[in-house]
Amino acid sequence: MSRKCIKCGVCEMVCPSTLSPLRLIDNKRSRNQPLPEALDCTTCNACVAACPMGVHITKSIEKMRDYFKTPGYGETLYNISTYGASIVPEGRPKPNPRPCKTAYFAGCLTGYRLQHISDAVTKTLDHMGIEFTRIDERCCGSPLNRIGRFDLAREMLEKNLRQFRELGVETIVTSCPGCTSTLLEYQEEFDVCHYLDLYDSYDIYGALHKEPYRATLQYPCHLYRNVSPYTMKVAENILKKMCEYVPLEEAERCCGAGGGVRRNDIGLARMLKKRKADDIRRLAPDVVAVACPQCSIQLSEDARAEDLSILVARNLRLIA
Ligand code: SF4
Ligand code: SF4
């Protein structure tokens, strides 16, 4: 048990999953054996944000997960050690790294499986006149941190940082909240920003026009809680410029996909999503805007979910 914990139970009340964060961090009760319910944590950080004592609940849970060997965790470890990516990579053209002050880092899911997101971001950066480079990306280490392999995660991150340093990169633009919060550990060396924050600082609003559709917004946990709640204000302001924005009830509640839960236990991931899917159904938007590849995959099962980068690029007539 963390010495700081006063057993107030607030973490229990905010947890969207089936586990008991308090029981998990209570070593006496668990006899110092990690409990299998550690696998059910989506690492949404709602408990950490609410804890009045600043207990690092999620970090403790991630540490425990190193103890478990599940097929899902095995797949993550295999893919990263074999391909340098958390998924089996396919269909990405080799980048042509060149010295540049700005780099775009897509991440594994966006770079290999959801390339329409990286396509939309890169076309918008071109449109804004921002010169950027791409490195030969390796997994940033975020999925390894989620399963307690902090050592390997750091090794993977270093492979990317080395390339940024060699190219003289000062600003790293991201499109995945997991990559963003992982790279932010190096914020003293690099300026790390999600594309939404970059669009905001370039005042993209004036270039956008209103179109006749209704959109709601899911807040990605790692962007909203680990990076900045302001980024979600930016997302809302962009949506208000492009369409009729209808707020989603408890937009900050986890969609159920994160922390490796979707890969490890798809049944649990879908169960955790049910309340959100019901909220979306009641609101009946034309599109659910997201800013996270995991949320995009998870919510696309129930609704038309599109990354904001795509909605923006389409609004600017950069993509169909
Ligand atoms: S919210 Fe923090 S202080 Fe309260 S029970 Fe949970 S870990 Fe302990
Ligand atoms: S990080 Fe989220 S899912 Fe995990 S224990 Fe905390 S509130 Fe629950």
Side-chain angles (χ1 to χ4, degrees):
M1 169 68 74
S2 160
R3 267 172 290 146
K4 288 197 283 182
C5 176
I6 53 169
K7 295 195 179 184
C8 67
V10 166
C11 51
E12 302 280 303
M13 290 178 339
V14 298
C15 180
S17 190
T18 48
L19 72 153
S20 160
L22 179 49
R23 185 168 56 223
L24 268 185
I25 59 169
D26 186 345
N27 295 340
K28 274 202 199 100
R29 269 200 260 174
S30 61
R31 296 191 183 85
N32 292 320
Q33 286 292 310
L35 300 172
E37 62 185 285
L39 304 177
D40 300 343
C41 170
T42 64
T43 67
C44 72
N45 267 338
C47 53
V48 178
C51 174
M53 300 306 291
V55 179
H56 293 297
I57 307 165
T58 315
K59 218 11 117 216
S60 307
I61 293 174
E62 287 171 347
K63 260 187 216 153
M64 287 172 204
R65 288 169 152 190
D66 189 24
Y67 179 89
F68 297 102
K69 310 281 174 253
T70 70
Y73 291 3
E75 191 183 341
T76 297
L77 283 168
Y78 177 81
N79 287 348
I80 293 177
S81 56
T82 311
Y83 310 113
S86 62
I87 54 171
V88 180
E90 43 194 48
R92 180 161 78 190
K94 266 249 170 250
N96 187 15
R98 61 188 174 86
C100 193
K101 288 197 168 160
T102 304
Y104 168 54
F105 188 86
C108 303
L109 264 182
T110 307
Y112 293 112
R113 199 161 291 163
L114 304 177
Q115 288 182 5
H116 46 301
I117 298 178
S118 51
D119 194 40
V121 174
T122 51
K123 285 195 167 117
T124 307
L125 295 182
D126 283 338
H127 177 80
M128 296 193 307
I130 299 171
E131 271 193 52
F132 63 95
T133 187
R134 307 272 306 260
I135 60 165
D136 188 9
E137 290 182 18
R138 299 289 184 271
C139 173
C140 70
S142 172
L144 293 165
N145 282 329
R146 304 293 82 81
I147 62 174
R149 293 303 305 267
F150 307 126
D151 50 343
L152 265 182
R154 182 50 61 109
E155 264 178 47
M156 295 306 297
L157 185 59
E158 272 302 331
K159 289 182 184 179
N160 296 299
L161 298 178
R162 218 172 291 138
Q163 295 183 65
F164 290 134
R165 289 178 191 125
E166 279 166 15
L167 297 173
V169 169
E170 292 172 7
T171 301
I172 306 170
V173 183
T174 56
S175 47
C176 168
C179 301
T180 315
S181 60
T182 305
L183 286 161
L184 265 177
E185 287 172 33
Y186 283 80
Q187 61 186 316
E188 280 178 18
E189 186 176 355
F190 300 101
D191 180 16
V192 179
C193 66
H194 189 271
Y195 70 79
L196 281 168
D197 290 317
L198 190 75
Y199 293 0
D200 181 56
S201 59
Y202 272 70
D203 202 8
I204 201 167
Y205 307 98
L208 302 172
H209 65 278
K210 201 89 163 179
E211 291 183 320
Y213 67 90
R214 291 171 82 239
T216 192
L217 175 70
Q218 163 67 7
Y219 293 2
C221 299
H222 285 257
L223 205 50
Y224 178 66
R225 279 185 279 273
N226 294 7
V227 179
S228 161
Y230 176 72
T231 310
M232 290 301 101
K233 271 279 152 270
V234 171
E236 286 171 353
N237 289 341
I238 288 177
L239 280 173
K240 284 174 192 166
K241 279 279 171 189
M242 299 195 296
C243 63
E244 182 193 345
Y245 167 60
V246 281
L248 183 63
E249 210 174 316
E250 290 185 82
E252 74 289 352
R253 196 178 65 244
C254 178
C255 74
V261 167
R262 192 177 157 92
R263 169 171 276 172
N264 209 46
D265 186 348
I266 187 77
L268 175 65
R270 287 184 175 144
M271 191 191 97
L272 297 179
K273 180 183 56 172
K274 194 177 171 308
R275 210 162 116 196
K276 187 155 298 284
D278 288 345
D279 289 344
I280 293 170
R281 214 168 291 120
R282 260 194 308 279
L283 206 56
D286 297 306
V287 61
V288 182
V290 292
C292 166
Q294 279 285 5
C295 298
S296 181
I297 292 173
Q298 173 87 331
L299 298 179
S300 288
E301 291 180 341
D302 303 84
R304 184 182 149 215
E306 287 207 278
D307 197 272
L308 258 159
S309 58
I310 295 170
L311 297 175
V312 168
R314 197 178 288 136
N315 190 278
L316 294 171
R317 306 281 185 258
L318 303 174
I319 57 170

